């Protein structure tokens, strides 16, 4: 039986979210409400390219560090692009006193 937390999380997703045959554009549109939240007032993000790979630097404002977390977001390569995953990286950034490179990988 699903937990209450799981059931509550499902309420944030549109109905019919996983339909075989959907294009990746359809999947991204359906998942968009669950991603892209503000990472917090203490966090800054910056889209960039590192070694030819796109991504988003995520770090605490004013924090100077040489620590880097290589952050591969989930989403089965289709749900949403890297900038919408910067909401997930700050908890790691704060705990490790590091910056995170949220990798943008192509389909």
């Amino acid at each position: 039986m699903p937990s209450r937390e799981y059931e509550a999380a499902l309420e944030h997703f549109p109905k019919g979210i996983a339909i075989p045959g959907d294009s990746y554009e359809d999947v991204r549109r359906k998942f968009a409400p669950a991603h892209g939240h503000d990472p917090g007032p203490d966090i800054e993000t910056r889209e960039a390219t590192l070694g030819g790979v796109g991504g988003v630097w995520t770090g605490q404002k004013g924090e100077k560090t040489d620590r880097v977390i290589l952050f591969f977001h989930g989403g089965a390569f289709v749900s949403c692009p890297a900038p919408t995953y910067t909401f997930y990286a700050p908890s790691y950034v704060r705990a490790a006193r590091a910056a995170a490179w949220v990798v943008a990988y192509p389909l």
Side-chain angles (χ1 to χ4, degrees):
M1 172 173 235
S3 69
R4 288 184 309 218
E5 293 83 1
Y6 177 76
E7 293 291 339
L10 286 180
E11 291 300 316
H12 296 281
F13 291 95
K15 304 303 177 227
I17 200 158
I19 297 175
D22 276 353
S23 68
Y24 80 89
E25 291 96 347
D26 289 336
V27 174
R28 284 185 173 181
R29 180 182 46 77
K30 290 177 180 181
F31 271 88
H35 299 295
H37 303 289
D38 185 346
D42 63 321
I43 299 295
E44 60 187 354
T45 62
R46 179 176 49 89
E47 291 188 45
T49 302
L50 180 64
V53 177
V56 182
W57 281 111
T58 305
Q60 286 189 278
K61 291 179 180 175
E63 180 79 21
K64 302 276 190 235
T65 182
D66 58 356
R67 297 177 180 200
V68 175
I69 298 167
L70 183 57
F71 191 99
F72 288 92
H73 65 82
F77 299 97
V78 295
S79 70
C80 289
T84 63
Y85 279 88
T86 56
F87 173 72
Y88 300 98
S91 59
Y92 300 107
V93 165
R94 291 179 189 108
R97 298 186 57 121
W101 176 248
V102 181
V103 178
Y105 41 85
L107 298 175

